Every structure is written in structure tokens, then in C-alpha cells.
Amino acid sequence: MTAHAMTNNATTTAPSDQSRNADLQARRLAATPRGVGVMAGFYIDRAQNAEVWDVEGNRYIDFAGGIAVLNTGHRHPALVAAIEEQLKRFTHTCYQVLPYESYVSLAERINALVPGDFAKKTAFFSSGAEAVENAVKIARSSTVRPGIIAFSGGFHGRTMMGCALTGKVVPYKVGFGPFPAEVYHLPFPMEVHGVTVEDSLHALQTLFKAAIEPSRVAAIIIEPVQGEGGFYIAPPALLRGLREVCDEHGILLIFDEVQTGFGRTGKLFATEHYDVLPDIVTLAKSMAGGMTLSAVCGKAEVMDAPAPGGLGGTYAGNPLAIAAAHAVIDVMEQEKLVERSNLLGEKLMARLKAAQTIVPALKEVRGLGSMVAAEFFDPATGAPSADAVKRVQQAALEEGLILLTCGVYANVIRFLYPLTTEDAVFDEALDILDRALAKA
């Protein structure tokens, strides 16, 4: 078929605005693999702050934020301006070939912002999974040990090492093994499911007796607040216990702040909620407001363990993403988004707790700042209820509110709205949420 014929065919069969979503859905199913799961059946055309419009002109309030990527909202003017300015200069050189000042200055800013009164260094990558992979490489290089300990329910990416570390089988591990060796898991404390800090720390000691001696463990990796696992908050006693064990045995402690970073928990980093400091921190998601950027920040002597050339990546620290990250940090400071994270989170938590009086299935509401979760159980059986969550999610979507679910039992709704959401839009979303909860 000639190009002219193809153009004519496309013109004569183009769908109307009212059928474009259905047409795109059919094309997606024919052209892309089923393994790339897609939540929504509609297709986005444009977005601004906390609102999106699909190709048929329907408006939605976005409480998913690209899965915690848009703390500064869709298309924040400062980010757009920063990216446009960088576009005028250069878009790519590969930092390892031709370096640029913006990478260095962003590393300096991250080193100063990440908690810890000690010398730090930062390297940039493209995705959260890459940050985790490189944190493991750095830890192994620094300690000359192989073992890595992670937690049930934890999520650390979709690469093979990321999958190995992730403590959730469906859908992340099914059919993809075998995974990298020397990865071990501990239970994560979840009061609502009867798992205590003592259970976790006891399991660690049992692991040392039954599976791997502590002298062969390079690092323990943990999310201060689990993301995909259900927004469970790590109790301070757990992190203190881990820090003590790590110090005793020369093990490095890694905090995965890919989802918790940049204001989501009511602090710039979730680490600030605790009196425990990690040796390495991984960052990504809202770091660059939708541009692909991640980072590993850690103690200088630990970060310097790999030899030159051992770290990097063709697109790692892309200059457009670096420019966006500088703008994100500026916006976080200028618009006081950490304070707003707490304000919006308190507002949401109050509304959810009020709903508990009329929604028996809503068993627990928890959160730090704007990292808020609502967990559902079947009132009749006491079992986790994924069905209740699906009903709430669908009822909200029908009224134009996009919500995400999570949890090992898929029975948790997580809220990841932009911290820049306007008050009127936020209140509108909470009213929709109230109605969705009542319907469910």
C-alpha cells in the first residue's frame, strides 16, 4: 500500500470524538502486549496541575499522579520553562562522555538536602529500578559481600534484581524466574494484619541462623513507607532495630525513597520522620516532575567504592530531566509544598475517618503527610476485601476521580494527588470520594 493510499484510508475511517477512546483501546489491544497492564479505558489528550482531559473531552481529577511522580502537578510552569530553556542549549551528550554543570550542581543540592551530617555523594540514573540496582551494586562493592535483605510487600522495581527484592509475587514475579541469588525477605510490620516489629526482628535473627550469616550480608533495603505494598508505615522501633543490627555486623542500610521522596510524606524525605539515618538512599518519581530521572545518594566513602566506569548509563542524568529536577526543588521551597502536603493529608484523613462511621468495610485509615491509605476488609468475614476497593475505585472513576489501589491483598486505596492541587479541585475530589464510598 502506498503512503497516499494509507493516508486516504485513515481519513475515511477516522473515528468521531465520541468513539476515539474505543478506537484507541482496540488499537492498543492489537499493537501492545497484555503484560503492560493499563488501568483506564480512556486516553489522555492534555493535562494541567491535578486535572486531565481525555481525547473525547472528558475531564478527570488525577489522584494517581503518574504513580507518585507528579507532586508538583502536570506541567508546572516552572518545570516547563526549565525544560524549554535546556532544549535551546543541548538535549543529550551522555554525562560520562561530555559532562555538564547542571548535573554537578544538582548532586550538590541533593547531598545537602538528604538527611545526615556527613559527606555524601550522588549519582543519577533514569528510573527507580535503576537506582535500586545501582544501590545494590554500590553496597556489594563497598562491603565485598553478596547478600541483600528486603521485606515482604516491598516494591523495588521490575528489573530482575528489582523483582528479586520485591516482596509481592503477583503480578511482578509470575513466570519471570529464576531471579538473582542471595536475596532474602523479612515480614514487614503491619498491625492490621497482626505482624509486629518483634516478629520482623525475630525473623531477621532466624534468617542469620537458617539462611545466611550476617558477615555475608551487604545491605538491608527498606521503604520507610511501603508504596505498592499498601502504604504501611515503618515503626520507628523497626528502623532502630535494623540500624543496630547493621552497625553490629557492618551491614549497610538502604532506604528506598523512590515513592516517599520530595514532600509526599509531609517531610521532604520520609527519613526525616525518624531518628535513624541510612547509609544509602534511592530517589526517583517526583524528583523531576515527570521527566525520567533517579538518584542514589549515600555516604561518600560508600559511594566511591565502585571503580570508574562501574556506574552510569547512556541516558543517566539526562540534561532535560536534570533541569526539571532543579525546578522541582525550587518549586517545593517557593510554594511550601511540604507544608501543603501536611495540610491536604490532614483534610483527606479527616474525611476518610468520618466515612468510617458509615462504611463498615473501611477498616483502617493511615498516613504520613499526603501519603494516605484506606484499607478495606469484608465486615462479614474479616478478610481483606479487594472487591470493596474495586467498587470504590470504579464509582469514583464514573464521576471523574482517578484513584489507585495497592497492597499485597489489593485491598488498599492509595492517594497520590499533586501537592499543588487547588483547594476547589481538592474539595471537589473529596466530595466524589464520599459518594463513591457510600455507593460501595
Side-chain angles (χ1 to χ4, degrees):
M1 184 182 290
T2 66
H4 179 70
M6 289 176 66
T7 300
N8 285 342
N9 182 61
T11 301
T12 57
T13 61
S16 68
D17 285 346
Q18 287 71 37
S19 63
R20 289 191 67 197
N21 281 319
D23 176 69
L24 286 168
Q25 186 76 332
R27 288 167 58 191
R28 177 182 76 82
L29 294 174
T32 68
R34 66 178 189 139
V36 182
V38 177
M39 183 195 79
F42 54 88
Y43 290 75
I44 297 304
D45 178 62
R46 60 190 177 92
Q48 185 62 46
N49 201 9
E51 299 170 274
V52 298
W53 289 263
D54 73 8
V55 293
E56 296 177 8
N58 301 305
R59 170 185 174 266
Y60 297 86
I61 300 174
D62 185 2
F63 266 35
I67 313 185
V69 168
L70 300 169
N71 287 358
T72 51
H74 291 275
R75 298 179 60 249
H76 192 289
L79 271 70
V80 172
I83 294 166
E84 287 178 342
E85 182 61 31
Q86 181 60 47
L87 274 170
K88 297 173 184 176
R89 300 171 63 225
F90 59 92
T91 61
H92 177 74
T93 65
C94 184
Y95 175 78
Q96 296 102 259
V97 178
L98 298 175
Y100 29 93
E101 182 182 1
S102 58
Y103 182 114
V104 176
S105 60
L106 183 61
E108 291 170 337
R109 295 183 81 177
I110 295 297
N111 292 339
L113 290 170
V114 168
D117 187 20
F118 43 78
K120 306 184 198 78
K121 291 190 176 183
T122 293
F124 296 108
F125 304 97
S126 299
S127 68
E130 275 189 88
V132 168
E133 291 268 346
N134 281 281
V136 169
K137 288 163 60 178
I138 292 165
R140 284 177 166 171
S141 179
S142 176
T143 62
V144 197
R145 301 175 180 184
I148 307 292
I149 297 172
F151 283 83
S152 62
F155 179 80
H156 301 288
R158 295 174 182 268
T159 56
M160 293 303 281
M161 176 55 76
C163 284
L165 294 170
T166 290
K168 184 178 179 181
V169 172
V170 180
Y172 304 114
K173 296 189 177 191
V174 175
F176 295 145
F179 299 106
E182 301 281 36
V183 173
Y184 307 87
H185 287 88
L186 303 174
F188 191 92
M190 298 179 289
E191 184 178 353
V192 71
H193 293 285
V195 182
T196 67
V197 171
E198 290 72 23
D199 292 332
S200 299
L201 295 177
H202 177 73
L204 177 58
Q205 294 304 322
T206 300
L207 187 71
F208 288 158
K209 291 180 174 62
I212 184 172
E213 65 271 35
S215 62
R216 294 186 65 248
V217 176
I220 298 174
I221 185 168
I222 186 170
E223 298 163 280
V225 183
Q226 286 198 327
E228 172 64 21
F231 277 30
Y232 298 106
I233 302 165
L238 174 67
L239 298 187
R240 291 191 200 107
L242 294 179
R243 183 72 270 177
E244 289 174 6
V245 169
C246 287
D247 291 343
E248 179 182 357
H249 297 290
I251 299 169
L252 298 176
L253 183 59
I254 303 172
F255 280 6
D256 183 340
E257 290 237 33
V258 166
Q259 190 160 163
T260 56
F262 295 91
R264 177 52 54 182
T265 68
K267 301 282 189 181
L268 191 59
F269 301 107
T271 304
E272 297 174 65
H273 288 284
Y274 301 94
D275 58 1
V276 169
L277 292 173
D279 302 293
I280 298 172
V281 178
T282 59
L283 307 168
K285 289 195 179 283
S286 280
M287 181 179 188
M291 300 296 285
T292 51
L293 186 69
S294 64
V296 180
C297 177
K299 291 181 175 178
E301 66 273 19
V302 171
M303 295 294 294
D304 274 340
L311 305 177
T314 302
Y315 300 104
N318 171 270
L320 297 174
I322 292 281
H326 276 290
V328 164
I329 294 173
D330 291 341
V331 169
M332 295 290 298
E333 295 173 350
Q334 294 164 6
E335 299 186 13
K336 297 182 171 26
L337 293 188
V338 169
E339 291 88 337
R340 185 155 180 80
S341 176
N342 288 306
L343 177 68
L344 295 180
E346 289 167 5
K347 205 172 193 180
L348 172 59
M349 293 266 286
R351 192 71 73 96
L352 287 169
K353 287 180 178 178
Q356 283 185 291
T357 61
I358 59 172
V359 184
L362 180 49
K363 182 170 182 178
E364 182 167 277
V365 176
R366 58 180 175 270
L368 285 177
S370 280
M371 197 162 184
V372 175
E375 184 158 6
F376 293 76
F377 286 71
D378 186 325
T381 65
S385 179
D387 289 339
V389 163
K390 290 177 184 176
R391 290 194 296 271
V392 174
Q393 184 185 38
Q394 184 58 38
L397 191 60
E398 288 170 0
E399 289 202 47
L401 175 62
I402 301 168
L403 298 175
L404 291 179
T405 64
C406 65
V408 175
Y409 303 98
N411 68 320
V412 179
I413 292 176
R414 53 177 160 171
F415 299 88
L416 290 168
Y417 45 80
L419 305 180
T420 50
T421 305
E422 298 95 336
D423 289 337
V425 174
F426 196 78
D427 291 341
E428 179 186 356
L430 294 189
D431 289 343
I432 294 172
L433 179 61
D434 276 344
R435 293 192 292 272
L437 289 167
K439 286 181 183 178

